[in-house]
């Protein structure tokens, strides 16, 4: 079991981490975070450093967004998870984040993983879209063997011959990784599918397969989002999903983690 700000992953209660792909400005982030908090979501996500496929795409607010992110998280008492893309960001981010996300493109960045191993801050480690299970487990070992055992694995979809969807969510990964490792395994059905209408069925399947938590991109205005709007859920859509998620979880004697 790994805890992020007292919220356990790998227990009978299953946390849904939600928030926008990118923190865009104060109004956007505060508005989404406020609604998510009211919904009982226990942990907030929001990207500051975005590694985008195209250099012309929005790259995130970067350091300019740190204060805004810290304020929203503190004022709402809402623990924040954000991606770290460079070891030089660790010190400043660690002042206000509850957990670090390592994105799919950085799973093989062993220098970053070793540095995160020198902290005690939980690490949500995403599977590279090209990684085997062993490669993901070895990447986790870089953090754990350096002294930080607070690692959560995340299946977020892989690249396959199927090009009709952004990624192919690999359902096998969940029971396989849980069988081979003691680390909690969460699912990201947003990047795993790439389309809003696919997020709910994929997320429900992931819970049925035993996922210890979910990471779901949520936006107040998906059409105008600066990144990943096509896969974002509105808070209303998330709320209706949560009811179905509770139904699936009760089959295995589990329940949604609420605030
Ligand atoms: C994200 O969570 O917004 C993200 C960039 O994820 P990934 O690294 O899995 O693409
Ligand atoms: Mn995203």
């Amino acid at each position: 079991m790994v805890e992020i700000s007292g919220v356990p992953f790998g227990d009978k209660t299953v946390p849904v981490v939600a928030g926008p792909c990118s923190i865009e400005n104060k109004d956007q982030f505060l508005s989404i975070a406020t609604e998510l908090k009211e919904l009982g979501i226990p942990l907030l996500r929001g990207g500051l450093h975005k590694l985008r496929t195209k250099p012309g795409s929005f790259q995130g607010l970067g350091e300019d967004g740190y204060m805004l992110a810290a304020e929203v998280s503190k004022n709402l008492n809402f623990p924040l998870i954000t991606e770290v893309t460079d070891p030089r960001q660790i010190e400043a981010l660690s002042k206000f984040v509850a957990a670090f996300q390592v994105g799919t493109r950085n799973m093989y960045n062993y220098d970053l993983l070793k540095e995160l191993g020198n902290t005690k801050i939980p690490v949500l480690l995403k599977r590279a879209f090209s990684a085997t299970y062993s490669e993901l487990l070895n990447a986790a070992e870089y953090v754990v063997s350096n002294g930080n055992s607070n690692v959560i694995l995340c299946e977020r979809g892989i690249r396959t011959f199927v090009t009709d969807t952004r990624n192919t969510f690999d359902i096998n990964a969940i029971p396989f990784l849980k069988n081979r490792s003691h680390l909690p395994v969460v699912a990201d059905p947003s990047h795993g599918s790439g389309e809003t209408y696919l997020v709910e069925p994929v997320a429900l399947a992931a819970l049925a397969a035993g996922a210890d938590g979910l990471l779901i991109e949520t936006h107040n205005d998906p059409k105008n989002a600066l990144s990943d709007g096509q896969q974002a859920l509105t808070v209303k859509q998330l709320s209706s999903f949560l009811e179905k998620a509770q139904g699936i979880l009760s089959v295995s004697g589990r329940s949604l983690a609420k605030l």
Side-chain angles (χ1 to χ4, degrees), residues 12-50:
K12 292 276 176 212
T13 52
V14 178
V16 174
V17 181
C21 179
S22 295
I23 298 174
E24 300 171 10
N25 55 61
K26 184 148 188 189
D27 282 352
Q28 171 251 17
F29 195 46
L30 183 61
S31 143
I32 298 170
T34 304
E35 286 187 57
L36 291 173
K37 182 91 183 176
E38 279 166 10
L39 197 58
I41 294 292
L43 298 165
L44 177 66
R45 61 148 287 151
L48 288 159
H49 297 282
K50 302 302 299 179

Side-chain angles (χ1 to χ4, degrees), residues 59-117:
Q59 305 283 311
L61 294 178
E63 284 178 22
D64 293 344
Y66 283 17
M67 199 132 77
L68 177 173
E71 265 176 34
V72 169
S73 169
K74 187 166 181 252
N75 292 345
L76 295 178
N77 187 25
F78 206 169
L80 176 67
I81 302 179
T82 198
E83 180 169 350
V84 58
T85 57
D86 185 312
R88 290 169 294 186
Q89 298 155 0
I90 293 175
E91 196 184 335
L93 285 175
S94 61
K95 297 199 165 75
F96 62 91
V97 302
F100 289 117
Q101 178 174 315
V102 174
T104 196
R105 293 165 183 80
N106 260 327
M107 191 208 83
Y108 298 107
N109 186 341
Y110 302 128
D111 284 336
L112 174 63
L113 298 176
K114 282 189 266 184
E115 281 299 322
L116 292 168

Side-chain angles (χ1 to χ4, degrees), residues 1-9 11 43 98-99 120-122 150 152 184:
M1 198 169 80
V2 172
E3 285 188 4
I4 299 180
S5 287
V7 178
F9 288 75
D11 205 0
L43 298 165
K120 292 284 175 227
I121 298 177
N150 301 310
I152 297 170

Side-chain angles (χ1 to χ4, degrees), residues 26-225:
K26 184 148 188 189
D27 282 352
Q28 171 251 17
F29 195 46
L30 183 61
S31 143
I32 298 170
T34 304
E35 286 187 57
L36 291 173
K37 182 91 183 176
E38 279 166 10
L39 197 58
I41 294 292
L43 298 165
L44 177 66
R45 61 148 287 151
L48 288 159
H49 297 282
K50 302 302 299 179
L51 295 178
R52 306 298 300 283
T53 307
K54 296 184 185 138
S57 302
F58 178 60
Q59 305 283 311
L61 294 178
E63 284 178 22
D64 293 344
Y66 283 17
M67 199 132 77
L68 177 173
E71 265 176 34
V72 169
S73 169
K74 187 166 181 252
N75 292 345
L76 295 178
N77 187 25
F78 206 169
L80 176 67
I81 302 179
T82 198
E83 180 169 350
V84 58
T85 57
D86 185 312
R88 290 169 294 186
Q89 298 155 0
I90 293 175
E91 196 184 335
L93 285 175
S94 61
K95 297 199 165 75
F96 62 91
V97 302
F100 289 117
Q101 178 174 315
V102 174
T104 196
R105 293 165 183 80
N106 260 327
M107 191 208 83
Y108 298 107
N109 186 341
Y110 302 128
D111 284 336
L112 174 63
L113 298 176
K114 282 189 266 184
E115 281 299 322
L116 292 168
N118 289 328
T119 77
K120 292 284 175 227
I121 298 177
V123 176
L124 194 152
L125 176 62
K126 288 191 157 196
R127 179 185 181 189
F129 50 71
S130 56
T132 63
Y133 302 143
S134 306
E135 286 170 334
L136 173 57
L137 292 169
N138 284 330
E141 195 54 29
Y142 270 99
V143 184
V144 174
S145 63
N146 251 32
N148 185 356
S149 56
N150 301 310
V151 178
I152 297 170
L153 305 173
C154 179
E155 163 59 29
R156 52 77 70 202
I158 52 169
R159 188 169 281 183
T160 66
F161 63 86
V162 178
T163 52
D164 310 77
T165 53
R166 183 178 184 184
N167 290 293
T168 299
F169 187 83
D170 178 10
I171 198 84
N172 289 352
I174 296 165
F176 184 97
L177 293 167
K178 286 178 66 73
N179 179 260
R180 296 302 159 92
S181 149
H182 62 280
L183 299 173
V185 181
V186 303
D188 171 355
S190 307
H191 296 85
S193 67
E195 293 283 343
T196 299
Y197 78 96
L198 295 174
V199 171
E200 181 173 296
V202 171
L204 292 173
L207 291 177
D212 294 308
L214 297 171
L215 195 62
I216 298 188
E217 287 189 338
T218 316
H219 203 279
N220 55 349
D221 184 10
K223 277 198 184 66
N224 292 307

